[in-house]
Amino acid sequence: MEWLDRMSRAISLMEKRMEGKTDIEELAREAYSSPFHFQRMFHMLTGFTVAEYIRRRKLTLAAQELASSSAKVLDIALKYGYESPESFSKAFRKAHGITPSEAREAGVSLKAFPRLSFHLSLKGVQDMDYRIVEKPAFRTLGIKITTSTEGGQNHRDITRFWQQAGGDGTIGKIAQLSPGKDLLGICGDMDLANERFDYWIAVENADRPADDEWQEFTVPATTWAVFPSVGPMPDTIQAVWRRIFEEWFPSTGYEHAAGPELEVYPEGDTSSSDYRCEVWIPIAKA
């Protein structure tokens, strides 16, 4: 219940700060967590980034104000943190499909993005296995893309990235960089405030230099919580991800340590009911 109250208080504070800019550090303090952990938890629990939620709520409130008042478009744009009528109009059209001026026409259809609320849901019927691992920094080689979390774009990009790498033989080449080592899916350089991060398909390799074909990424030394996933991909591992943030974090004294996240894929039939892989999350004591 405590984490539920913290997230609900943060939502209430967000709503009070809709006019103007929002301070992520202030919201995180309200949730008694680090800014990174707060943003990562919010995204995993709601499906929206903090920035995306605030953006949609502001445009909902702005539409209501346009439809019910005679305030100038410029004044409403500035009120909700937009620096110019042009930037406001572009965002408004993307959200509602019409211009701010058209929102004042009688009978026009507007979209409303409601305020979020958190409710208690009894979970944890099944035990959740995990282990704590201390691991020094290690170097990886592979390929990467930069993707956005806005609107779930990262899920589509990453799925396509794996399909392309598998279809053109790149995954096999990466595996041969370090025979016997597991393939890694790495979420690195996460810029949650700007809704972007790099995603790598890579393998641990300490010796081979980077070149025009392979780039290097160093995973820093940290403490990891390691969660097994047993079952066909991708449904099983996606369920593990949800449980980590919905059940494990709220019930432990840990929070996200703001480092890269790993998926570790041993060789095997990923469609098999007994395929085993792992999720590695960097953690720190809250």
Side-chain angles (χ1 to χ4, degrees):
M1 283 296 292
E2 185 178 2
W3 73 271
L4 191 72
D5 292 338
R6 292 175 181 179
M7 295 299 285
S8 295
R9 287 199 299 269
I11 289 286
S12 296
L13 182 58
M14 269 188 227
E15 293 293 326
K16 293 178 182 178
R17 300 287 191 269
M18 283 296 163
E19 297 181 14
K21 293 186 177 181
T22 305
D23 186 345
I24 290 295
E25 292 190 359
E26 184 184 20
L27 296 175
R29 284 195 298 271
E30 195 72 11
Y32 292 90
S33 72
S34 70
F36 189 99
H37 183 69
F38 171 70
Q39 291 179 91
R40 195 72 179 103
M41 283 289 290
F42 188 94
H43 185 208
M44 293 299 290
L45 292 173
T46 68
F48 301 100
T49 65
V50 173
E52 187 175 7
Y53 174 77
I54 291 172
R55 185 165 55 246
R56 292 193 180 197
R57 285 292 295 145
K58 284 185 175 185
L59 290 169
T60 291
L61 297 173
Q64 293 171 358
E65 196 161 337
L66 284 165
S68 62
S69 77
S70 59
K72 295 180 180 179
V73 172
L74 174 60
D75 292 338
I76 293 176
L78 295 174
K79 178 179 179 179
Y80 290 105
Y82 289 87
E83 296 180 354
S84 69
E86 291 77 20
S87 61
F88 175 63
S89 182
K90 181 179 179 181
F92 194 91
R93 181 184 286 276
K94 184 177 180 180
H96 297 282
I98 58 175
T99 66
S101 297
E102 290 171 335
R104 289 195 153 125
E105 297 177 4
V108 71
S109 178
L110 297 169
K111 292 182 173 63
F113 185 77
R115 170 178 171 162
L116 285 174
S117 60
F118 291 95
H119 300 282
L120 178 64
S121 178
L122 296 177
K123 295 181 180 294
V125 176
Q126 296 178 331
D127 291 337
M128 192 166 191
D129 295 332
Y130 72 96
R131 68 186 191 277
I132 303 297
V133 174
E134 298 282 349
K135 187 173 175 65
F138 62 96
R139 179 177 177 271
T140 69
L141 278 182
I143 57 174
K144 73 170 181 176
I145 57 170
T146 299
T147 184
S148 170
T149 52
E150 183 179 354
Q153 182 63 42
N154 55 302
H155 299 300
R156 296 186 290 274
D157 287 347
I158 291 170
T159 297
R160 185 164 52 249
F161 188 39
W162 277 97
Q163 289 172 342
Q164 290 174 346
D168 64 15
T170 300
I171 287 178
K173 293 179 181 178
I174 293 173
Q176 288 305 308
L177 293 172
S178 297
K181 294 282 190 179
D182 297 331
L183 278 176
L184 304 173
I186 306 173
C187 298
D189 295 327
M190 288 188 278
D191 183 357
L192 300 185
N194 292 307
E195 304 174 276
R196 301 183 70 80
F197 68 92
D198 291 339
Y199 184 85
W200 293 76
I201 300 175
V203 67
E204 187 172 349
N205 187 299
D207 303 317
R208 179 170 174 145
D211 53 31
D212 292 340
E213 187 173 13
W214 310 116
Q215 298 172 279
E216 67 177 78
F217 178 76
T218 298
V219 179
T222 194
T223 302
W224 302 88
V226 181
F227 302 87
S229 169
V230 183
M233 293 286 294
D235 293 348
T236 303
I237 199 169
Q238 289 174 354
V240 171
W241 275 104
R242 288 193 297 271
R243 292 191 67 197
I244 290 168
F245 286 88
E246 292 178 356
E247 301 175 34
W248 190 82
F249 269 125
S251 63
T252 66
Y254 293 103
E255 67 175 31
H256 202 295
E261 299 169 345
L262 311 179
E263 292 177 340
V264 180
Y265 297 114
E267 187 177 353
D269 180 3
T270 59
S271 64
S272 171
S273 61
D274 60 359
Y275 178 70
R276 300 183 65 90
C277 56
E278 294 177 331
V279 175
W280 289 51
I281 303 291
I283 56 169
K285 276 291 185 180

